[in-house]
Amino acid sequence: MNVQIEESWKEHLAPEFEKDYFYRLTDFVKKEYTHYSVYPPGKLIFNAFNSCPFNKVKVVIIGQDPYHEPGQAHGLCFSVNDGVPFPPSLQNIFKEIQSDLGTSTPTSGNLTRWTEQGVLLMNATLTVRAHQAGSHQNKGWEEFTDAAIRHLAEEREHLVFLLWGSYAQKKGAVIDRKKHLILTSAHPSPLSAYRGFFGNGHFSKANEYLRAHQQEPIVW
């Protein structure tokens, strides 16, 4: 199957595109986009991969589902388009960055500026039906994104994985902690941010690790 995805990712993930689950997933997603409002826009389904090539990845942040309200999702976890109000989880991410690094809150919630520096912002499920959180879970996306994590964990070294909440932590269970830095905490959602997301220091710790391995830190 010829999937429109960035070339280095296409090379690594090519076996997935020929598996039965991916054919079933593709049929499901096409039907959903035909009959319902689905996010993100079709051309942005693989935005996380297209904006951060395989060999440029330095940090991986794993989300669960795209935002499911109009105008929010554009294929990067936790990120929203320019001019869109910050969802609560993103507000809390910016609060923690401000507390951790002393920087001011940005004017835009568009995190493309992170992906351009090597931050892979990948949701476990890459599509969602409007107003229905979790509506495209267990259709095959999780197997695909597991494969992406596995390739990074096995074929790259000294990456930083930021695993917020139990869902992301389970998804990252395959990662070798001797080869990579794994930072875990509560999720930044309002329900759990005060249970360990605030004060986790993940952004400064990620940059310390990158510097220690002769890589440019991220301008968060």
Side-chain angles (χ1 to χ4, degrees), residues 77-92:
C77 71
F78 297 108
S79 179
V80 290
N81 285 301
D82 293 324
V84 175
F86 303 164
S89 290
L90 185 58
Q91 288 181 36
N92 289 338

Side-chain angles (χ1 to χ4, degrees), residues 80-175:
V80 290
N81 285 301
D82 293 324
V84 175
F86 303 164
S89 290
L90 185 58
Q91 288 181 36
N92 289 338
I93 288 169
F94 287 153
K95 279 182 192 170
E96 176 55 25
I97 291 172
Q98 186 172 18
S99 169
D100 187 15
L101 300 174
T103 55
S104 56
T105 301
T107 55
S108 172
N110 188 330
L111 303 182
T112 302
R113 59 187 180 274
W114 292 3
T115 69
E116 290 167 347
Q117 300 176 75
V119 182
L120 180 68
L121 295 169
M122 183 182 72
N123 280 310
T125 302
L126 300 188
T127 55
V128 69
R129 198 186 288 184
H131 317 301
Q132 296 183 38
S135 50
H136 286 189
Q137 289 178 7
N138 304 313
K139 302 296 184 183
W141 279 130
E142 294 89 346
E143 191 168 343
F144 175 75
T145 51
D146 279 347
I149 293 167
R150 190 172 63 250
H151 279 282
L152 285 169
E154 292 174 359
E155 296 165 42
R156 297 287 312 280
E157 289 187 337
H158 309 312
L159 300 180
V160 181
F161 289 85
L162 304 184
L163 306 180
W164 300 330
S166 59
Y167 185 89
Q169 287 157 30
K170 283 178 196 155
K171 200 161 178 73
V174 299
I175 303 161

Side-chain angles (χ1 to χ4, degrees), residues 33 41 47 64 74 88 98 122 127 161 172 178 182:
Y33 274 90
N47 193 20
Q64 191 162 352
H74 65 130
Q98 186 172 18
M122 183 182 72
T127 55
F161 289 85
K178 293 180 185 144
I182 300 175

Side-chain angles (χ1 to χ4, degrees), residues 28-101:
F28 167 76
V29 170
K30 282 179 179 172
K31 285 174 185 166
E32 286 285 296
Y33 274 90
T34 301
H35 296 292
Y36 303 98
S37 291
V38 177
Y39 304 124
K43 67 181 187 294
L44 295 177
I45 290 173
F46 295 112
N47 193 20
F49 303 92
N50 294 339
S51 59
C52 191
F54 185 87
N55 291 320
K56 299 281 180 69
V57 176
K58 298 194 286 192
V59 179
V60 180
I61 299 177
I62 300 172
Q64 191 162 352
D65 243 13
Y67 295 123
H68 54 267
E69 295 303 325
Q72 293 181 311
H74 65 130
L76 308 178
C77 71
F78 297 108
S79 179
V80 290
N81 285 301
D82 293 324
V84 175
F86 303 164
S89 290
L90 185 58
Q91 288 181 36
N92 289 338
I93 288 169
F94 287 153
K95 279 182 192 170
E96 176 55 25
I97 291 172
Q98 186 172 18
S99 169
D100 187 15
L101 300 174

